[in-house]
Amino acid sequence: MSSALACLRPHGLRMQATSLAALVTNDPARASDFALRVGPLYANFARQYYDREAWSALQALAAETDLPGAMRRLFDGEPVNTTEGRPALHAALRSDLGVGDTARQAHGQARAARQRMARLVQELAESNVTDIVSVGIGGSDLGPRLVVDALAATNARFRVHFLSNVDGHAVQKTLSGLDPTRTAAILISKSFGTQETLLNGEVVRHWLGNDERLYAVSANLERCAGFGIAEARTLPMWDWVGGRYSLWSAVGFPIALAIGMDRFETLLAGAAQMDAHALQAPAHANLPMWHALTAVWNRNALDARTQAVLPYDERLRLLPAYLQQLVMESLGKRVQCDGSSVAFDTVPVWWGGAGTDVQHSFFQALHQGTDVVPADFIGICRPDHDRVGLHAALMANLLAQTEALANGQDKADPHRVYPGNRPSTLLLVDRLDPQGLGMLIALYEHSVYLQAVLWGINAFDQFGVELGKQLAGGVLAALQDEADVSDPVTAAVLAQLRRT
Ligand code: F6P
């Protein structure tokens, strides 16, 4: 454990002697000093439960772990995915900031793939196709699904539908009402070996009845060809981009179809704006660094076991699901890069939902439950509708909740006491347009990487998802062939399944 990381806990304990409300009221400059603006994105950390001394300790941690150097290594294509010996060059999909051949080549490959993608978008726009079914799961689904849900206009050229779960009900729901002669399907899978995507892909292919409207995005072009998808309708990805960081690549094909190629490029430009900031801004004024240090503070100094993400905008309702994969698949690790066990807690459970709906579901626990849950509140300053009164109410709720959580309320009746001291970060985006959304997502990507650096873990592998997949293969064989399984509980449940 780094000495600066070990130093955080005493600072956390020290916080118990002061309240978050006192930190804010006794330090009038705090509300502005603990805030940053990067283009259309404003962040305010004044309601985090650290004082200036603790903040200095976090800055010392940033220096000790050389966060700026770590950003450089990421952008330059060094093998930051240490267990698999690969770079993680998602930033090269949208920025040309990496030095050296690896990063430059990746950037060139990404641009060439984007040009091919633009041609396919054009071809489809000139066809009779009205609907697109995107088949993929995890990183090959959640990012495009989020962006399409957030940005697609109702009068878009194509309606884009997503199919991820290996569940006939999902297939039925997705395909019902669609005309196979006016639908195209895209199979998205980096490995092209994911059971759910291949099974659903077969069903969709059969339903389409015409391979001419079947497209693929994958790093395994041989498998695409083996599946019968023509090279001309296949777009590449590469082992240097992780699935959960890949929406900027051809994995974003459904996004480009839903919002248009120009707006897809603007999404990338927004992310590139955050890339430049993340790489170039000094640690004390660097938004991803600030966000990552805050996450580590809440986990390791204040012992927070979960973290909420609360977008106050219906169009961002899928953000919590997207971030669950980005954050928890990246940081759900218990050994450091060198294989040694961590001596501290790593990722908390991330969860959340869109406000104000969630105020009427789980906010009771946020205000008065025994667990303190740090939260990211996300708001959009200017809506894309003209119902001014509704937007004012939405924003008023957002601000009121952060204030109530932080400041609490004293009462004689213990049932009506709000303990306060419940930290939150406020992220405001000027507008939810492609640029703003690109910046917001890139902020989280960089924060996740930096948290991994602070913890000394690898943000880019996911061996933890393998065992269940392997076992499912054996159980499926047992279900279909009546074969035996060795685990007695699985065997007993299989017997029940066979009986009913
Ligand atoms: O769930 C594990 C995982 O490997 C994710 O990391 C990935 O995004 C998802 O499966 C889908 O993988 P693929 O794109 O190879 O189908």
Side-chain angles (χ1 to χ4, degrees):
M1 187 173 190
S2 84
S3 57
L5 192 55
C7 280
L8 295 184
R9 183 55 69 93
H11 284 286
L13 293 172
R14 199 168 49 71
M15 286 301 107
Q16 290 171 5
T18 185
S19 71
L20 186 40
L23 286 177
V24 172
T25 44
N26 297 340
D27 181 358
R30 181 182 170 99
S32 52
D33 285 359
F34 280 56
L36 286 176
R37 177 171 274 280
V38 186
L41 185 49
Y42 167 84
N44 194 309
F45 295 88
R47 288 201 169 117
Q48 286 295 340
Y49 201 6
Y50 37 54
D51 59 8
R52 288 181 188 264
E53 195 184 329
W55 182 242
S56 299
L58 286 167
Q59 286 298 316
L61 176 60
E64 187 188 284
T65 22
D66 187 20
L67 293 188
M71 284 312 300
R72 211 346 110 210
R73 289 195 294 282
L74 179 82
F75 277 77
D76 290 352
E78 289 191 28
V80 291
N81 179 351
T82 46
T83 51
E84 296 176 301
R86 294 175 189 162
L89 276 164
H90 43 282
L93 296 167
R94 63 239 178 171
S95 300
D96 196 9
L97 296 167
V99 175
D101 287 349
T102 312
R104 214 165 294 127
Q105 267 170 24
H107 186 69
Q109 287 175 309
R111 280 182 49 178
R114 216 152 57 242
Q115 279 163 8
R116 282 198 54 209
M117 186 167 99
R119 282 199 292 277
L120 295 185
V121 171
Q122 187 59 33
E123 267 171 42
L124 276 163
E126 287 162 5
S127 74
N128 72 338
V129 166
T130 53
D131 290 84
I132 308 289
V133 176
S134 175
V135 184
I137 198 162
S140 295
D141 170 69
L142 291 162
R145 197 188 277 260
L146 162 69
V147 177
V148 169
D149 199 55
L151 297 181
T154 40
N155 61 352
R157 168 67 185 81
F158 303 102
R159 288 181 295 262
V160 179
H161 315 265
F162 291 91
L163 177 58
S164 54
N165 203 356
V166 65
D167 180 337
H169 300 104
V171 175
Q172 252 170 17
K173 195 171 167 188
T174 309
L175 299 184
S176 71
L178 298 185
D179 175 355
T181 66
R182 306 201 65 183
T183 301
I186 312 167
L187 272 56
I188 306 180
S189 175
K190 181 178 170 184
S191 60
F192 223 78
T194 301
Q195 182 196 48
E196 294 93 328
T197 302
L198 295 182
L199 289 174
N200 282 336
E202 271 302 350
V203 174
V204 171
R205 192 231 300 256
H206 187 253
W207 173 84
L208 276 179
N210 182 346
D211 285 0
E212 294 293 303
R213 276 177 275 106
L214 197 58
Y215 295 77
V217 178
S218 182
N220 195 324
L221 302 182
E222 264 175 36
R223 283 189 183 162
C224 295
F227 194 86
I229 303 178
E231 201 194 327
R233 291 192 304 280
T234 302
L235 291 168
M237 60 185 294
W238 311 271
D239 68 0
W240 47 258
V241 54
R244 54 191 174 275
Y245 299 85
S246 68
L247 71 89
W248 325 97
S249 71
V251 170
F253 190 19
I255 303 175
L257 287 162
I259 70 173
M261 202 60 206
D262 288 353
R263 294 178 80 220
F264 182 70
E265 294 281 1
T266 312
L267 180 83
L268 269 56
Q273 199 176 344
M274 183 55 70
D275 289 338
H277 168 81
L279 188 64
Q280 290 155 3
H284 69 272
N286 188 304
L287 182 49
M289 290 184 196
W290 205 319
H291 192 270
L293 289 165
T294 300
V296 167
W297 166 263
N298 281 323
R299 186 64 170 137
N300 299 130
L302 301 185
D303 240 349
R305 287 180 287 193
T306 81
Q307 160 77 38
V309 55
L310 307 165
Y312 273 59
D313 193 301
E314 194 69 13
R315 296 166 296 175
L316 290 176
R317 67 195 164 152
L318 299 183
L319 186 65
Y322 168 78
L323 289 179
Q324 279 180 327
Q325 189 204 15
L326 179 68
V327 182
M328 292 166 73
E329 197 166 80
S330 298
L331 302 177
K333 312 287 164 65
R334 45 178 284 291
V335 291
Q336 295 189 291
C337 292
D338 64 5
S340 61
S341 294
V342 294
F344 42 83
D345 290 320
T346 63
V347 77
V349 172
W350 276 61
W351 59 288
T356 62
D357 282 354
V358 292
Q359 291 177 196
H360 302 271
S361 60
F362 55 71
F363 264 49
Q364 166 64 35
L366 294 193
H367 285 289
Q368 290 187 316
T370 51
D371 264 23
V372 171
V373 182
D376 281 5
F377 282 81
I378 300 165
I380 306 298
C381 302
R382 273 180 280 137
D384 287 308
H385 60 73
D386 53 12
R387 299 185 193 282
V388 181
L390 295 184
H391 189 63
L394 188 67
M395 291 295 102
N397 272 283
L398 184 165
L399 279 176
Q401 292 297 332
T402 61
E403 194 178 311
L405 286 164
N407 299 349
Q409 176 178 267
D410 247 351
K411 282 275 178 198
D413 176 358
H415 297 101
R416 292 175 197 275
V417 168
Y418 291 73
N421 296 330
R422 300 188 171 212
S424 63
T425 292
L426 176 61
L427 297 170
L428 287 180
V429 189
D430 287 351
R431 284 191 62 171
L432 191 63
D433 54 14
Q435 182 200 3
L437 184 58
M439 287 193 78
L440 183 67
I441 297 173
L443 160 65
Y444 277 103
E445 283 184 345
H446 290 315
S447 172
V448 163
Y449 168 61
L450 293 168
Q451 288 171 60
V453 172
L454 290 165
W455 282 325
I457 60 178
N458 181 3
F460 302 111
D461 62 13
Q462 60 281 321
F463 297 116
V465 301
E466 297 302 331
L467 179 60
K469 288 187 199 175
Q470 276 164 29
L471 292 176
V475 177
L476 178 61
L479 256 176
Q480 290 174 332
D481 308 340
E482 306 272 314
D484 287 337
V485 291
S486 56
D487 182 272
V489 178
T490 306
V493 179
L494 272 176
Q496 287 294 320
L497 281 173
R498 287 177 184 135
R499 202 171 297 146
T500 45

